[in-house]
């Protein structure tokens, strides 16, 4: 008995020590390395997000240091001067700005050079030693503000020269930006190249739409409100639209955009992530893996996209951009229908729509419910009930419903129940998506990042269509800048059952 007890005790102690090791407190200093520090993404998004996190107290100057790395030859002060103009201004921020810029150090080197990354590692290590960080307890976060073509070489250099020395509560994590490949084969190749060097928990594939406040609210709206639960299915919902519209064209990004097109740039990632959150089943908890498991199940249930349920467009003047080929077949507009083959959504069309150079700028989700049976008020011609989530601009959630028009007559009119963030949450600053996602990375929360199998399933859906476009088998229709896009897109919406509301416009409430 005593022997058995001793073995059990030893096993228990071993398990407890393993748990302690797994949950070792993060006491070491934090190094954030922005790769591609001299580029546009770093200046406009990454460094401003880091500054806002610093200003709000999420990054402490006594534990964090920021390193910029790029090929351009710059001094520390030259990099600081480059990004200063992109950070929040105002007298109240002057002191914070000065202190923040002093946290930034710059190292120059190529993306496939051992010497450059050895110099980077030396700079990081010197910072860790200066902070008296125990070896193996420090944290290293590498943010790839880089084109995907250099991801494999950069990953190799980090793995061989810049890793945290051990795992005594410390870690090494990488944040990679989209696009993750151009089709299924290239995405899988990229995933394999990165996956050979880093474990999945170390890889954070960022999709900034998952950091948007209203996108984050989708799970709460769906699963914390009783009146949505019985309505969220094919018995009550007629169709769902997920829309992204821009009122400007490629604006100097023609060469980059033409390589990818609107489907790869917006629909396959941003809109598909929103689609997953709208259509997924309730996860068993808020743990990142449970949420991502449900998203994968939705993607696996999507049927192949039919040619007749796709409309492509290219705005007039797009090919006049000198960086765009004269015979470009790249769509700047796309409307398509996704259909989910499962019990909840069978027969409900999900319309994903994105376009550039249109008549308005917005991103929203529009859930249209079926007609009320036995309409005794004869009000169906006015429009259906809709639940609208406006992601940007003027963040809002509103329900479009039919009410009695004030007066002596029994007549009906469309109105709304409205939650406008600017009015309801006065004085509250809605954080930028990049701030939230960088903070999640530091905290080790992968809920709002794309898992490898999820990425694979997403490319499975779109690759056949993309290959037809790339091969010239599917050509976009021309449309005028400042219009709604090709008329065929509105015809497709009508065909799949969307009923447009007439005579009603949602007006954002004023303060």
């Amino acid at each position: 008995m005593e022997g058995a007890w001793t073995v059990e005790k030893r096993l228990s102690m071993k398990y407890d020590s393993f748990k302690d090791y797994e949950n070792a407190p993060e006491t070491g200093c934090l190094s954030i390395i922005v790769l591609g520090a001299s580029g546009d993404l770093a200046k406009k998004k990454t460094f401003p997000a880091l500054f806002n996190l610093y200003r709000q107290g999420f990054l402490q100057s006594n534990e964090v240091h920021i390193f910029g790395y790029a090929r351009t030859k710059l001094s520390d002060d030259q990099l600081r001067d480059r990004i200063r103009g992109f950070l929040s201004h105002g007298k109240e921020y002057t002191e914070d700005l000065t202190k923040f810029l002093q946290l930034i150090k710059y190292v120059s080197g190529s993306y496939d050079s051992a010497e450059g990354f050895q110099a980077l590692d030396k700079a990081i290590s010197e910072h860790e030693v200066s902070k008296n960080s125990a070896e193996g307890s420090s944290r290293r976060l590498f943010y790839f503000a880089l084109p995907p073509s250099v991801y494999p070489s950069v990953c190799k250099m980090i793995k061989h020269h810049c890793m945290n020395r051990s795992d005594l509560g410390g870690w090494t994590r990488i944040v990679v930006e989209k696009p993750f490949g151009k089709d299924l084969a290239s995405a899988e190749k990229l995933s394999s190249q990165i996956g050979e060097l880093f474990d999945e928990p170390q890889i954070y594939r960022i999709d900034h739409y998952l950091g948007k406040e209203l996108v984050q609210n989708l799970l709460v709206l769906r699963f914390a409100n009783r009146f949505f639960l019985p309505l969220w299915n094919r018995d009550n919902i007629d169709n769902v639209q997920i829309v992204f519209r821009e009122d400007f064209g490629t604006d100097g990004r023609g060469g980059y955009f033409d390589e990818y097109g609107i489907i790869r740039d917006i629909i396959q990632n941003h809109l598909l992530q929103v689609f997953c959150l709208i259509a997924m089943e309730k996860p068993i908890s808020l743990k990142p893996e449970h949420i991502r498991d449900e998203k994968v199940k939705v993607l696996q249930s999507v049927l192949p996209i039919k040619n007749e349920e796709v409309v492509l467009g290219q705005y007039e003047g797009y090919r006049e951009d000198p960086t765009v080929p004269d015979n470009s077949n790249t769509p700047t507009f796309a409307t398509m229908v996704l259909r989910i083959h499962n019990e909840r959504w069978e027969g409900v069309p999900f319309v994903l729509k994105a376009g550039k150079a249109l008549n308005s700028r917005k991103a929203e989700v529009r859930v249209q419910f079926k007609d009320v049976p036995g309409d005794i008020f004869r009000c169906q011609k006015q429009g259906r009930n809709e639940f609208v989530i406006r992601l940007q601009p003027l963040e809002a959630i509103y329900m479009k419903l039919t009410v009695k028009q004030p007066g002596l007559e029994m007549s009906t009119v469309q109105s709304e129940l409205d939650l406008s963030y600017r009015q309801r949450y006065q004085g509250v600053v809605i954080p930028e998506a990049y701030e939230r996602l960088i903070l999640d990375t530091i905290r080790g929360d992968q809920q709002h990042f794309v898992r490898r199998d999820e990425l694979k399933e997403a490319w499975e859906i779109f690759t056949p269509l993309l290959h037809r476009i790339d091969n010239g088998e599917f050509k976009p229709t021309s449309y005028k800048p400042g219009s709604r896009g090709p008329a065929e897109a509105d015809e497709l919406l009508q065909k799949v059952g969307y009923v447009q509301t007439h005579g009603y416009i949602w007006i954002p409430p004023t303060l």
Side-chain angles (χ1 to χ4, degrees):
M1 285 291 290
E2 187 178 342
W5 182 88
T6 306
V7 171
E8 187 176 320
K9 181 76 171 173
R10 280 180 184 160
L11 284 171
S12 174
M13 288 169 66
K14 185 177 180 183
Y15 175 67
D16 288 340
S17 66
F18 174 73
K19 282 197 297 184
D20 292 341
Y21 170 78
E22 282 288 288
N23 299 313
E26 294 187 349
T27 55
C29 65
L30 171 64
S31 299
I32 298 174
I33 302 95
V34 181
L35 301 150
S38 60
D40 264 10
L41 177 64
K43 288 187 296 188
K44 294 177 181 176
K45 296 294 182 183
T46 317
F47 283 116
L50 291 172
F51 175 57
N52 287 333
L53 288 173
Y54 173 79
R55 196 167 47 77
Q56 295 169 67
F58 290 106
L59 298 178
Q60 300 292 331
S61 55
N62 63 343
E63 67 169 12
V64 71
H65 213 66
I66 298 165
F67 297 85
Y69 184 92
R71 289 181 292 229
T72 312
K73 300 279 187 193
L74 294 172
S75 66
D76 294 351
D77 285 335
Q78 284 174 321
L79 176 63
R80 292 165 187 161
D81 290 340
R82 276 195 175 202
I83 65 175
R84 188 190 301 271
F86 293 92
L87 307 182
S88 300
H89 287 296
K91 288 181 181 177
E92 70 271 29
Y93 301 143
T94 304
E95 188 179 343
D96 284 339
L97 182 56
T98 303
K99 289 179 179 176
F100 173 77
L101 289 171
Q102 289 309 306
L103 298 176
I104 299 174
K105 184 175 176 59
Y106 184 74
V107 179
S108 172
S110 70
Y111 296 123
D112 55 0
S113 148
E115 292 79 14
F117 281 88
Q118 284 164 352
L120 177 60
D121 180 64
K122 184 169 181 275
I124 298 169
S125 299
E126 284 172 358
H127 159 62
E128 292 168 350
V129 169
S130 74
K131 295 294 184 184
N132 298 317
S133 213
E135 187 177 356
S137 69
S138 60
R139 298 164 286 162
R140 297 184 176 190
L141 173 60
F142 291 86
Y143 192 107
F144 288 34
L146 296 165
S149 57
V150 300
Y151 286 0
S153 63
V154 170
C155 285
K156 275 182 194 169
M157 292 297 114
I158 293 171
K159 183 69 175 178
H160 294 147
H161 303 292
C162 294
M163 295 293 284
N164 182 25
R165 297 292 176 252
S166 72
D167 289 323
L168 271 176
W171 42 255
T172 302
R173 293 175 185 151
I174 63 170
V175 180
V176 292
E177 279 273 356
K178 77 167 184 76
F180 312 118
K182 293 185 69 175
D183 57 11
L184 179 60
S186 59
E188 278 293 280
K189 182 181 178 183
L190 188 59
S191 291
S192 296
Q193 289 171 326
I194 297 174
E196 286 170 4
L197 300 164
F198 294 96
D199 297 329
E200 187 64 24
Q202 294 177 295
I203 305 168
Y204 288 71
R205 299 175 190 83
I206 198 168
D207 185 322
H208 76 268
Y209 254 57
L210 288 174
K212 288 186 178 292
E213 183 67 33
L214 271 291
V215 174
Q216 299 227 320
N217 208 345
L218 280 171
L219 288 185
V220 179
L221 286 168
R222 284 200 53 198
F223 302 123
N225 293 291
R226 178 74 194 202
F227 52 73
F228 283 130
L229 294 176
L231 296 178
W232 215 256
N233 54 47
R234 61 192 173 93
D235 296 329
N236 299 287
I237 292 174
D238 187 88
N239 59 80
V240 179
Q241 284 186 66
I242 306 167
V243 177
F244 173 92
R245 304 167 68 87
E246 285 182 334
D247 55 4
F248 54 89
T250 51
D251 282 8
R253 291 174 67 241
Y256 164 82
F257 181 85
D258 196 73
E259 194 180 339
Y260 294 95
I262 198 74
I263 298 174
R264 290 183 177 99
D265 196 38
I266 300 294
I267 295 178
Q268 185 271 342
N269 37 69
H270 301 331
L271 299 196
L272 197 67
Q273 287 297 323
V274 177
F275 163 82
C276 287
L277 294 172
I278 292 167
M280 64 187 262
E281 296 298 319
K282 187 176 183 178
I284 59 175
S285 82
L286 288 176
K287 287 181 179 176
E289 294 316 304
H290 292 156
I291 291 172
R292 300 200 293 182
D293 286 346
E294 295 303 331
K295 287 163 69 181
V296 169
K297 288 179 191 173
V298 172
L299 296 175
Q300 289 172 332
S301 302
V302 175
L303 296 170
I305 300 171
K306 297 177 182 174
N307 271 11
E308 60 269 24
E309 293 192 327
V310 178
V311 173
L312 303 178
Q314 186 185 89
Y315 67 83
E316 294 173 9
Y318 170 72
R319 297 181 195 176
E320 291 171 15
D321 184 323
T323 61
V324 173
D326 293 338
N327 60 346
S328 172
N329 195 49
T330 302
T332 61
F333 174 99
T335 294
M336 62 189 63
V337 180
L338 297 190
R339 296 185 180 274
I340 304 172
H341 183 56
N342 67 15
E343 185 178 1
R344 181 182 294 273
W345 296 116
E346 187 77 53
V348 178
F350 284 76
V351 180
L352 275 55
K353 179 178 180 178
K356 289 183 171 293
L358 299 174
N359 59 351
S360 63
R361 174 182 169 264
K362 67 178 178 181
E364 68 179 20
V365 177
R366 186 172 295 270
V367 179
Q368 186 171 87
F369 292 88
K370 293 186 173 181
D371 291 323
V372 175
D375 174 23
I376 59 174
F377 298 103
R378 304 181 189 277
C379 56
Q380 285 185 356
K381 64 181 182 204
Q382 292 171 345
R384 292 168 164 170
N385 295 149
E386 290 182 355
F387 179 54
V388 182
I389 303 160
R390 179 174 281 236
L391 309 178
Q392 66 181 36
L394 302 173
E395 292 91 344
I397 301 165
Y398 63 97
M399 298 181 72
K400 204 162 77 181
L401 69 168
T402 303
V403 296
K404 178 187 175 297
Q405 189 161 5
L408 295 174
E409 299 294 330
M410 179 56 81
S411 57
T412 60
V413 68
Q414 289 256 305
S415 188
E416 72 279 325
L417 297 175
D418 199 323
L419 165 60
S420 288
Y421 273 55
R422 190 173 289 186
Q423 186 182 48
R424 181 67 178 86
Y425 302 112
Q426 294 179 36
V428 175
V429 177
I430 295 176
E432 286 289 324
Y434 280 92
E435 294 170 38
R436 189 190 311 274
L437 295 175
I438 290 172
L439 187 59
D440 281 349
T441 310
I442 294 167
R443 290 172 170 173
D445 183 352
Q446 289 194 309
Q447 176 181 329
H448 304 117
F449 295 83
V450 181
R451 202 167 64 190
R452 180 174 175 176
D453 57 340
E454 185 183 343
L455 179 63
K456 180 176 182 290
E457 294 297 337
W459 279 118
E460 291 262 17
I461 294 168
F462 290 99
T463 293
L465 171 62
L466 289 167
H467 283 178
R468 292 198 293 274
I469 297 168
D470 294 343
N471 294 335
E473 298 165 24
F474 206 143
K475 295 193 179 296
T477 305
S478 181
Y479 64 94
K480 289 189 180 301
S483 68
R484 284 178 53 83
E488 291 87 343
D490 288 334
E491 291 166 13
L492 176 61
L493 276 175
Q494 284 185 322
K495 200 180 294 181
V496 299
Y498 173 68
V499 175
Q500 192 163 359
T501 303
H502 297 287
Y504 164 89
I505 299 173
W506 176 71
I507 301 171
T510 53
L511 299 178

